[in-house]
Amino acid sequence: TMKRLRDKEKGCPWDKEQTRESLAKYAVEEAYEVMEAVMKKDDENFKEELGDLLMQVVFQSEIAEEEGKFNFDDVAKRINQKLIFRHPHVFGSDKANNSNEVLTIWEKAKQKEHQNESIESILDSVPSSLPSMLRAYKMQKKAAKVGFDWENVDGVIEKLKEEIEEFEQAKSRDEKIEELGDILFTCVNLARKIDIDPEEALFRTNLKFDNRVRFIEKSLKNQGKDIKSATMSEKEELWQKSKNN
């Protein structure tokens, strides 16, 4: 299907114009839509979004094949080889009795893969193009693996309090931006320390906010009112009701 869409004579004008650069952003968007379908436990939508994400892999692989670089089979072969190499406890003689032992084996396998690469920092493998929250999370995990971490969650909470105080004392806009960034970075550290994905936590809160605002809008509409003209007390009352909806 993708070959037909990219056909120089009979293909789709839009599909023929696309490059690996123009398509890159869509892979990110589709990945987030997959995440949303998972969170909403919508299997039909989940199936559709997985297909959309797979289509991006197929699309990029087709362009690479046209350039004489690689094809979809090469992509599948590479990930298959990686999975086998990183699971010697399944495909080899190593043993793993629990998830923690698996992670140790996984990291050792990754180190073997990259042993000939020039590494300047433990953070080299964390792409700068990642969304800021995800990048913060991955950088913190890398630092923690070499012992640069708090001993317990209490230390992170104290740090968060300290950062909030520094934000309150900030005067200029630049200072406030910096201190707010420190607060967010520490919140990510707090989530990591208690083994919670900060992206999932914020996703759930966003979904909760979305549902409650929609409840307020619907309730006001049933009363012949609009959310813009409703008083703050009316909206606050409905907000509290939305918690039980």
Side-chain angles (χ1 to χ4, degrees):
T1 303
M2 187 54 67
K3 286 184 182 299
R4 176 62 185 274
L5 290 172
R6 292 276 297 180
D7 187 89
K8 293 181 179 180
E9 295 182 1
K10 300 179 180 179
C12 167
W14 187 87
D15 289 290
K16 290 190 293 183
E17 291 175 358
Q18 300 314 304
T19 64
R20 58 175 64 184
E21 289 80 14
S22 69
L23 289 172
K25 63 180 180 182
Y26 296 115
V28 176
E29 292 175 6
E30 297 297 354
Y32 273 101
E33 289 179 9
V34 166
M35 181 178 177
E36 181 174 6
V38 170
M39 295 299 180
K40 290 185 175 180
K41 304 184 186 305
D42 185 338
D43 286 341
E44 279 302 309
N45 185 233
F46 182 36
K47 178 172 61 177
E48 180 179 347
E49 297 302 342
L50 282 175
D52 290 345
L53 183 58
L54 177 59
M55 194 270 283
Q56 293 303 315
V57 178
V58 173
F59 208 150
Q60 291 281 17
S61 298
E62 176 61 24
I63 293 175
E65 184 174 1
E66 293 168 3
E67 296 173 346
K69 303 296 176 56
F70 59 83
N71 59 29
F72 181 81
D73 287 342
D74 295 326
V75 173
K77 183 178 179 180
R78 174 66 67 84
I79 187 59
N80 192 56
Q81 291 172 334
K82 182 185 290 187
L83 286 171
I84 293 172
F85 183 77
R86 292 189 182 181
H87 289 81
H89 53 291
V90 176
F91 300 100
S93 58
D94 287 8
K95 300 295 182 183
N97 298 311
N98 53 58
S99 296
N100 287 333
E101 291 181 5
V102 170
L103 291 176
T104 299
I105 292 172
W106 181 274
E107 286 301 321
K108 287 181 179 179
K110 285 177 64 177
Q111 290 174 10
K112 288 182 181 179
E113 288 176 348
H114 302 293
Q115 61 185 355
N116 295 323
E117 296 179 6
S118 176
I119 299 176
E120 296 181 358
S121 169
I122 58 171
L123 303 180
D124 281 352
S125 62
V126 183
S128 59
S129 58
L130 288 174
S132 295
M133 181 179 289
L134 179 57
R135 186 170 185 234
Y137 186 70
K138 286 185 172 292
M139 288 194 300
Q140 292 167 7
K141 286 184 68 175
K142 291 289 185 181
K145 286 177 182 177
V146 295
F148 190 49
D149 196 10
W150 281 276
E151 291 185 5
N152 53 56
V153 70
D154 292 338
V156 190
I157 293 175
E158 286 304 313
K159 181 63 176 176
L160 181 57
K161 293 177 181 178
E162 175 187 321
E163 297 296 355
I164 292 174
E165 289 179 2
E166 291 180 3
F167 175 79
E168 292 175 336
Q169 296 169 8
K171 304 299 182 184
S172 69
R173 175 178 172 78
D174 283 344
E175 288 176 332
K176 290 178 180 179
I177 290 174
E178 181 177 346
E179 298 303 338
L180 183 57
D182 289 346
I183 290 173
L184 294 173
F185 191 84
T186 307
C187 284
V188 173
N189 245 325
L190 177 60
R192 178 188 59 81
K193 201 65 179 173
I194 56 178
D195 197 26
I196 289 177
D197 183 341
E199 183 67 32
E200 179 182 351
L202 186 56
F203 182 94
R204 290 189 183 190
T205 295
N206 286 344
L207 185 60
K208 180 169 60 178
F209 183 79
D210 182 279
N211 290 334
R212 290 179 180 178
V213 169
R214 290 177 187 277
F215 175 85
I216 294 172
E217 290 175 319
K218 184 177 180 180
S219 299
L220 288 170
K221 187 176 181 180
N222 291 337
Q223 298 173 28
K225 299 179 181 180
D226 181 85
I227 192 169
K228 293 180 180 179
S229 58
T231 65
M232 190 60 207
S233 60
E234 289 176 315
K235 285 180 275 197
E236 176 61 28
E237 182 181 352
L238 289 171
W239 175 268
Q240 295 301 325
K241 288 183 178 180
S242 72
K243 294 180 180 180
N244 299 319
N245 186 261

PDB file of all heavy atoms in Angstrom, residues 54 57-58 60-62 64-65 70-85:
ATOM      1  N   LEU A  54       2.372   2.316  13.572  1.00  0.00           N
ATOM      2  CA  LEU A  54       3.061   1.375  12.685  1.00  0.00           C
ATOM      3  C   LEU A  54       3.201   1.966  11.286  1.00  0.00           C
ATOM      4  O   LEU A  54       4.230   1.769  10.618  1.00  0.00           O
ATOM      5  CB  LEU A  54       2.285   0.060  12.627  1.00  0.00           C
ATOM      6  CG  LEU A  54       2.830  -1.019  11.677  1.00  0.00           C
ATOM      7  CD1 LEU A  54       4.259  -1.398  12.060  1.00  0.00           C
ATOM      8  CD2 LEU A  54       1.921  -2.236  11.689  1.00  0.00           C
ATOM      9  N   VAL A  57       6.288   3.917  10.869  1.00  0.00           N
ATOM     10  CA  VAL A  57       7.472   3.077  10.696  1.00  0.00           C
ATOM     11  C   VAL A  57       7.554   2.587   9.248  1.00  0.00           C
ATOM     12  O   VAL A  57       8.627   2.613   8.624  1.00  0.00           O
ATOM     13  CB  VAL A  57       7.424   1.874  11.669  1.00  0.00           C
ATOM     14  CG1 VAL A  57       8.645   0.975  11.455  1.00  0.00           C
ATOM     15  CG2 VAL A  57       7.361   2.343  13.118  1.00  0.00           C
ATOM     16  N   VAL A  58       6.415   2.156   8.714  1.00  0.00           N
ATOM     17  CA  VAL A  58       6.362   1.681   7.328  1.00  0.00           C
ATOM     18  C   VAL A  58       6.715   2.815   6.362  1.00  0.00           C
ATOM     19  O   VAL A  58       7.477   2.633   5.413  1.00  0.00           O
ATOM     20  CB  VAL A  58       4.960   1.118   7.007  1.00  0.00           C
ATOM     21  CG1 VAL A  58       4.837   0.780   5.517  1.00  0.00           C
ATOM     22  CG2 VAL A  58       4.675  -0.120   7.845  1.00  0.00           C
ATOM     23  N   GLN A  60       8.469   5.625   6.896  1.00  0.00           N
ATOM     24  CA  GLN A  60       9.889   5.984   6.965  1.00  0.00           C
ATOM     25  C   GLN A  60      10.762   4.903   6.337  1.00  0.00           C
ATOM     26  O   GLN A  60      11.771   5.205   5.669  1.00  0.00           O
ATOM     27  CB  GLN A  60      10.299   6.203   8.426  1.00  0.00           C
ATOM     28  CG  GLN A  60       9.703   7.442   9.079  1.00  0.00           C
ATOM     29  CD  GLN A  60      10.446   8.720   8.686  1.00  0.00           C
ATOM     30  OE1 GLN A  60      11.199   8.748   7.707  1.00  0.00           O
ATOM     31  NE2 GLN A  60      10.240   9.781   9.436  1.00  0.00           N
ATOM     32  N   SER A  61      10.378   3.644   6.541  1.00  0.00           N
ATOM     33  CA  SER A  61      11.152   2.538   5.964  1.00  0.00           C
ATOM     34  C   SER A  61      11.077   2.552   4.441  1.00  0.00           C
ATOM     35  O   SER A  61      12.065   2.241   3.758  1.00  0.00           O
ATOM     36  CB  SER A  61      10.631   1.200   6.499  1.00  0.00           C
ATOM     37  OG  SER A  61      10.789   1.112   7.901  1.00  0.00           O
ATOM     38  N   GLU A  62       9.906   2.914   3.898  1.00  0.00           N
ATOM     39  CA  GLU A  62       9.748   2.988   2.451  1.00  0.00           C
ATOM     40  C   GLU A  62      10.634   4.083   1.863  1.00  0.00           C
ATOM     41  O   GLU A  62      11.285   3.892   0.828  1.00  0.00           O
ATOM     42  CB  GLU A  62       8.290   3.251   2.105  1.00  0.00           C
ATOM     43  CG  GLU A  62       8.004   3.454   0.623  1.00  0.00           C
ATOM     44  CD  GLU A  62       8.366   2.242  -0.230  1.00  0.00           C
ATOM     45  OE1 GLU A  62       8.392   1.123   0.313  1.00  0.00           O
ATOM     46  OE2 GLU A  62       8.620   2.430  -1.429  1.00  0.00           O
ATOM     47  N   ALA A  64      13.403   5.205   3.188  1.00  0.00           N
ATOM     48  CA  ALA A  64      14.782   4.735   3.321  1.00  0.00           C
ATOM     49  C   ALA A  64      15.119   3.725   2.220  1.00  0.00           C
ATOM     50  O   ALA A  64      16.238   3.724   1.681  1.00  0.00           O
ATOM     51  CB  ALA A  64      14.990   4.104   4.693  1.00  0.00           C
ATOM     52  N   GLU A  65      14.135   2.881   1.873  1.00  0.00           N
ATOM     53  CA  GLU A  65      14.362   1.901   0.810  1.00  0.00           C
ATOM     54  C   GLU A  65      14.545   2.604  -0.534  1.00  0.00           C
ATOM     55  O   GLU A  65      15.398   2.219  -1.336  1.00  0.00           O
ATOM     56  CB  GLU A  65      13.193   0.917   0.740  1.00  0.00           C
ATOM     57  CG  GLU A  65      13.407  -0.198  -0.279  1.00  0.00           C
ATOM     58  CD  GLU A  65      12.320  -1.251  -0.237  1.00  0.00           C
ATOM     59  OE1 GLU A  65      11.371  -1.112   0.569  1.00  0.00           O
ATOM     60  OE2 GLU A  65      12.409  -2.220  -1.022  1.00  0.00           O
ATOM     61  N   PHE A  70      17.909   1.197   3.669  1.00  0.00           N
ATOM     62  CA  PHE A  70      17.400  -0.019   4.314  1.00  0.00           C
ATOM     63  C   PHE A  70      15.909  -0.118   4.030  1.00  0.00           C
ATOM     64  O   PHE A  70      15.321   0.806   3.462  1.00  0.00           O
ATOM     65  CB  PHE A  70      17.671  -0.013   5.820  1.00  0.00           C
ATOM     66  CG  PHE A  70      17.059   1.161   6.551  1.00  0.00           C
ATOM     67  CD1 PHE A  70      15.733   1.149   6.958  1.00  0.00           C
ATOM     68  CD2 PHE A  70      17.825   2.288   6.836  1.00  0.00           C
ATOM     69  CE1 PHE A  70      15.170   2.222   7.633  1.00  0.00           C
ATOM     70  CE2 PHE A  70      17.275   3.376   7.506  1.00  0.00           C
ATOM     71  CZ  PHE A  70      15.941   3.344   7.899  1.00  0.00           C
ATOM     72  N   ASN A  71      15.298  -1.253   4.421  1.00  0.00           N
ATOM     73  CA  ASN A  71      13.863  -1.402   4.215  1.00  0.00           C
ATOM     74  C   ASN A  71      13.183  -1.870   5.501  1.00  0.00           C
ATOM     75  O   ASN A  71      13.844  -2.030   6.535  1.00  0.00           O
ATOM     76  CB  ASN A  71      13.565  -2.362   3.057  1.00  0.00           C
ATOM     77  CG  ASN A  71      14.148  -3.755   3.285  1.00  0.00           C
ATOM     78  OD1 ASN A  71      14.303  -4.206   4.422  1.00  0.00           O
ATOM     79  ND2 ASN A  71      14.482  -4.443   2.200  1.00  0.00           N
ATOM     80  N   PHE A  72      11.887  -2.102   5.419  1.00  0.00           N
ATOM     81  CA  PHE A  72      11.122  -2.484   6.610  1.00  0.00           C
ATOM     82  C   PHE A  72      11.629  -3.796   7.203  1.00  0.00           C
ATOM     83  O   PHE A  72      11.708  -3.953   8.424  1.00  0.00           O
ATOM     84  CB  PHE A  72       9.632  -2.607   6.263  1.00  0.00           C
ATOM     85  CG  PHE A  72       8.772  -2.980   7.443  1.00  0.00           C
ATOM     86  CD1 PHE A  72       8.370  -2.027   8.356  1.00  0.00           C
ATOM     87  CD2 PHE A  72       8.380  -4.303   7.646  1.00  0.00           C
ATOM     88  CE1 PHE A  72       7.588  -2.362   9.452  1.00  0.00           C
ATOM     89  CE2 PHE A  72       7.590  -4.651   8.737  1.00  0.00           C
ATOM     90  CZ  PHE A  72       7.199  -3.674   9.640  1.00  0.00           C
ATOM     91  N   ASP A  73      11.992  -4.751   6.341  1.00  0.00           N
ATOM     92  CA  ASP A  73      12.510  -6.026   6.834  1.00  0.00           C
ATOM     93  C   ASP A  73      13.792  -5.824   7.636  1.00  0.00           C
ATOM     94  O   ASP A  73      14.021  -6.515   8.641  1.00  0.00           O
ATOM     95  CB  ASP A  73      12.782  -6.980   5.665  1.00  0.00           C
ATOM     96  CG  ASP A  73      11.500  -7.520   5.049  1.00  0.00           C
ATOM     97  OD1 ASP A  73      10.442  -7.440   5.715  1.00  0.00           O
ATOM     98  OD2 ASP A  73      11.548  -8.006   3.906  1.00  0.00           O
ATOM     99  N   ASP A  74      14.618  -4.880   7.201  1.00  0.00           N
ATOM    100  CA  ASP A  74      15.849  -4.585   7.931  1.00  0.00           C
ATOM    101  C   ASP A  74      15.548  -4.028   9.324  1.00  0.00           C
ATOM    102  O   ASP A  74      16.233  -4.348  10.305  1.00  0.00           O
ATOM    103  CB  ASP A  74      16.707  -3.574   7.157  1.00  0.00           C
ATOM    104  CG  ASP A  74      17.202  -4.141   5.837  1.00  0.00           C
ATOM    105  OD1 ASP A  74      17.479  -5.347   5.769  1.00  0.00           O
ATOM    106  OD2 ASP A  74      17.293  -3.366   4.863  1.00  0.00           O
ATOM    107  N   VAL A  75      14.517  -3.204   9.394  1.00  0.00           N
ATOM    108  CA  VAL A  75      14.108  -2.619  10.681  1.00  0.00           C
ATOM    109  C   VAL A  75      13.648  -3.722  11.622  1.00  0.00           C
ATOM    110  O   VAL A  75      14.049  -3.783  12.797  1.00  0.00           O
ATOM    111  CB  VAL A  75      12.975  -1.587  10.482  1.00  0.00           C
ATOM    112  CG1 VAL A  75      12.440  -1.109  11.836  1.00  0.00           C
ATOM    113  CG2 VAL A  75      13.471  -0.402   9.667  1.00  0.00           C
ATOM    114  N   ALA A  76      12.788  -4.608  11.112  1.00  0.00           N
ATOM    115  CA  ALA A  76      12.272  -5.710  11.924  1.00  0.00           C
ATOM    116  C   ALA A  76      13.404  -6.649  12.357  1.00  0.00           C
ATOM    117  O   ALA A  76      13.444  -7.114  13.506  1.00  0.00           O
ATOM    118  CB  ALA A  76      11.214  -6.489  11.137  1.00  0.00           C
ATOM    119  N   LYS A  77      14.341  -6.905  11.441  1.00  0.00           N
ATOM    120  CA  LYS A  77      15.467  -7.785  11.751  1.00  0.00           C
ATOM    121  C   LYS A  77      16.339  -7.180  12.838  1.00  0.00           C
ATOM    122  O   LYS A  77      16.787  -7.877  13.766  1.00  0.00           O
ATOM    123  CB  LYS A  77      16.295  -8.031  10.490  1.00  0.00           C
ATOM    124  CG  LYS A  77      17.456  -8.990  10.697  1.00  0.00           C
ATOM    125  CD  LYS A  77      18.206  -9.213   9.388  1.00  0.00           C
ATOM    126  CE  LYS A  77      19.385 -10.166   9.592  1.00  0.00           C
ATOM    127  NZ  LYS A  77      20.128 -10.388   8.320  1.00  0.00           N
ATOM    128  N   ARG A  78      16.591  -5.869  12.758  1.00  0.00           N
ATOM    129  CA  ARG A  78      17.447  -5.202  13.748  1.00  0.00           C
ATOM    130  C   ARG A  78      16.839  -5.254  15.149  1.00  0.00           C
ATOM    131  O   ARG A  78      17.537  -5.570  16.116  1.00  0.00           O
ATOM    132  CB  ARG A  78      17.678  -3.747  13.329  1.00  0.00           C
ATOM    133  CG  ARG A  78      18.451  -2.896  14.353  1.00  0.00           C
ATOM    134  CD  ARG A  78      19.878  -3.382  14.510  1.00  0.00           C
ATOM    135  NE  ARG A  78      20.642  -3.173  13.293  1.00  0.00           N
ATOM    136  CZ  ARG A  78      21.242  -2.029  12.970  1.00  0.00           C
ATOM    137  NH1 ARG A  78      21.154  -0.983  13.768  1.00  0.00           N
ATOM    138  NH2 ARG A  78      21.936  -1.939  11.860  1.00  0.00           N
ATOM    139  N   ILE A  79      15.556  -4.963  15.270  1.00  0.00           N
ATOM    140  CA  ILE A  79      14.947  -4.980  16.606  1.00  0.00           C
ATOM    141  C   ILE A  79      14.865  -6.400  17.136  1.00  0.00           C
ATOM    142  O   ILE A  79      15.000  -6.641  18.336  1.00  0.00           O
ATOM    143  CB  ILE A  79      13.553  -4.305  16.603  1.00  0.00           C
ATOM    144  CG1 ILE A  79      13.006  -4.183  18.035  1.00  0.00           C
ATOM    145  CG2 ILE A  79      12.560  -5.067  15.735  1.00  0.00           C
ATOM    146  CD1 ILE A  79      13.880  -3.388  18.980  1.00  0.00           C
ATOM    147  N   ASN A  80      14.676  -7.373  16.246  1.00  0.00           N
ATOM    148  CA  ASN A  80      14.631  -8.769  16.664  1.00  0.00           C
ATOM    149  C   ASN A  80      15.988  -9.199  17.211  1.00  0.00           C
ATOM    150  O   ASN A  80      16.078  -9.863  18.257  1.00  0.00           O
ATOM    151  CB  ASN A  80      14.231  -9.653  15.483  1.00  0.00           C
ATOM    152  CG  ASN A  80      13.887 -11.068  15.914  1.00  0.00           C
ATOM    153  OD1 ASN A  80      13.028 -11.271  16.760  1.00  0.00           O
ATOM    154  ND2 ASN A  80      14.562 -12.046  15.332  1.00  0.00           N
ATOM    155  N   GLN A  81      17.063  -8.805  16.528  1.00  0.00           N
ATOM    156  CA  GLN A  81      18.414  -9.117  16.987  1.00  0.00           C
ATOM    157  C   GLN A  81      18.697  -8.474  18.350  1.00  0.00           C
ATOM    158  O   GLN A  81      19.304  -9.094  19.224  1.00  0.00           O
ATOM    159  CB  GLN A  81      19.448  -8.642  15.960  1.00  0.00           C
ATOM    160  CG  GLN A  81      19.439  -9.410  14.661  1.00  0.00           C
ATOM    161  CD  GLN A  81      20.341  -8.793  13.607  1.00  0.00           C
ATOM    162  OE1 GLN A  81      20.609  -7.578  13.641  1.00  0.00           O
ATOM    163  NE2 GLN A  81      20.799  -9.597  12.663  1.00  0.00           N
ATOM    164  N   LYS A  82      18.235  -7.231  18.490  1.00  0.00           N
ATOM    165  CA  LYS A  82      18.456  -6.521  19.750  1.00  0.00           C
ATOM    166  C   LYS A  82      17.730  -7.205  20.900  1.00  0.00           C
ATOM    167  O   LYS A  82      18.273  -7.356  22.002  1.00  0.00           O
ATOM    168  CB  LYS A  82      17.986  -5.069  19.618  1.00  0.00           C
ATOM    169  CG  LYS A  82      18.224  -4.238  20.873  1.00  0.00           C
ATOM    170  CD  LYS A  82      17.636  -2.846  20.747  1.00  0.00           C
ATOM    171  CE  LYS A  82      18.391  -1.999  19.762  1.00  0.00           C
ATOM    172  NZ  LYS A  82      17.917  -0.593  19.765  1.00  0.00           N
ATOM    173  N   LEU A  83      16.488  -7.617  20.665  1.00  0.00           N
ATOM    174  CA  LEU A  83      15.711  -8.284  21.707  1.00  0.00           C
ATOM    175  C   LEU A  83      16.376  -9.582  22.153  1.00  0.00           C
ATOM    176  O   LEU A  83      16.437  -9.881  23.348  1.00  0.00           O
ATOM    177  CB  LEU A  83      14.291  -8.573  21.205  1.00  0.00           C
ATOM    178  CG  LEU A  83      13.357  -7.364  21.106  1.00  0.00           C
ATOM    179  CD1 LEU A  83      12.064  -7.755  20.395  1.00  0.00           C
ATOM    180  CD2 LEU A  83      13.051  -6.799  22.486  1.00  0.00           C
ATOM    181  N   ILE A  84      16.876 -10.344  21.197  1.00  0.00           N
ATOM    182  CA  ILE A  84      17.542 -11.603  21.533  1.00  0.00           C
ATOM    183  C   ILE A  84      18.832 -11.340  22.305  1.00  0.00           C
ATOM    184  O   ILE A  84      19.111 -11.979  23.328  1.00  0.00           O
ATOM    185  CB  ILE A  84      17.834 -12.410  20.251  1.00  0.00           C
ATOM    186  CG1 ILE A  84      16.506 -12.880  19.624  1.00  0.00           C
ATOM    187  CG2 ILE A  84      18.734 -13.607  20.557  1.00  0.00           C
ATOM    188  CD1 ILE A  84      16.669 -13.529  18.265  1.00  0.00           C
ATOM    189  N   PHE A  85      19.616 -10.346  21.843  1.00  0.00           N
ATOM    190  CA  PHE A  85      20.887 -10.034  22.492  1.00  0.00           C
ATOM    191  C   PHE A  85      20.685  -9.531  23.916  1.00  0.00           C
ATOM    192  O   PHE A  85      21.471  -9.863  24.812  1.00  0.00           O
ATOM    193  CB  PHE A  85      21.633  -8.979  21.669  1.00  0.00           C
ATOM    194  CG  PHE A  85      22.986  -8.635  22.228  1.00  0.00           C
ATOM    195  CD1 PHE A  85      24.067  -9.488  22.040  1.00  0.00           C
ATOM    196  CD2 PHE A  85      23.180  -7.463  22.948  1.00  0.00           C
ATOM    197  CE1 PHE A  85      25.322  -9.178  22.556  1.00  0.00           C
ATOM    198  CE2 PHE A  85      24.426  -7.149  23.471  1.00  0.00           C
ATOM    199  CZ  PHE A  85      25.497  -8.002  23.266  1.00  0.00           C
TER     200      PHE A  85
END
